[in-house]
Amino acid sequence: VQLQAFGGGLVQAGGSLSLSCAASGFAFADYGLGWFRQAPGVEREFVAAITWSGGSTYYADSVKGRFTISRDNAKNTVYLQMNSLKSEDTAAYYCAAGRLALDSANEYHYWGQGTLVTVSS
């Protein structure tokens, strides 16, 4: 099983970044997918989740209206479009797969490595 996240980098506040996460080794289309983030000294927190079909999405209040999660089951890839970035969005971002699209990290079985997003003010 492998989840590999891409797209992190340095961006100015107000800018945009698009993260992607390519998966392999499991039945991608059967799994809910989530994005979490972790800043230094802070617990990992939920960002967004999407159901197996892509029919439902969920967001943390802090990113609602600015971030969009999507998936392409044909490409085994999940995306996170991040707009209107703020300095408080600076963190390592992780993609994860679980049977349900939930906001608890404990519900996810597979995790990718983090990709670092730094937002300069």
Side-chain angles (χ1 to χ4, degrees):
V1 172
Q2 189 172 20
L3 290 162
Q4 193 164 9
F6 303 92
L10 174 64
V11 64
Q12 287 190 331
S16 299
L17 274 179
S18 181
L19 305 183
S20 59
C21 176
S24 61
F26 65 99
F28 182 85
D30 292 343
Y31 279 73
L33 300 166
W35 285 96
F36 290 76
R37 66 186 182 187
Q38 187 168 22
V42 179
E43 286 189 1
R44 189 169 297 190
E45 65 173 354
F46 169 75
V47 175
I50 187 167
T51 54
W52 66 272
S53 66
S56 295
T57 56
Y58 309 93
Y59 297 94
D61 287 344
S62 58
V63 307
K64 203 171 291 183
R66 300 188 297 122
F67 291 11
T68 302
I69 188 171
S70 61
R71 65 188 294 163
D72 185 337
N73 286 347
K75 296 182 178 179
N76 283 11
T77 301
V78 60
Y79 305 95
L80 186 68
Q81 177 65 40
M82 304 184 295
N83 299 328
S84 302
L85 284 160
K86 305 176 181 179
S87 57
E88 51 262 45
D89 294 319
T90 295
Y93 283 71
Y94 299 85
C95 56
R99 282 299 185 179
L100 299 173
L102 300 175
D103 61 359
S104 170
N106 293 333
E107 300 297 331
Y108 288 82
H109 309 299
Y110 307 128
W111 289 85
Q113 91 292 355
T115 185
L116 183 61
V117 172
T118 303
V119 183
S120 63
S121 57

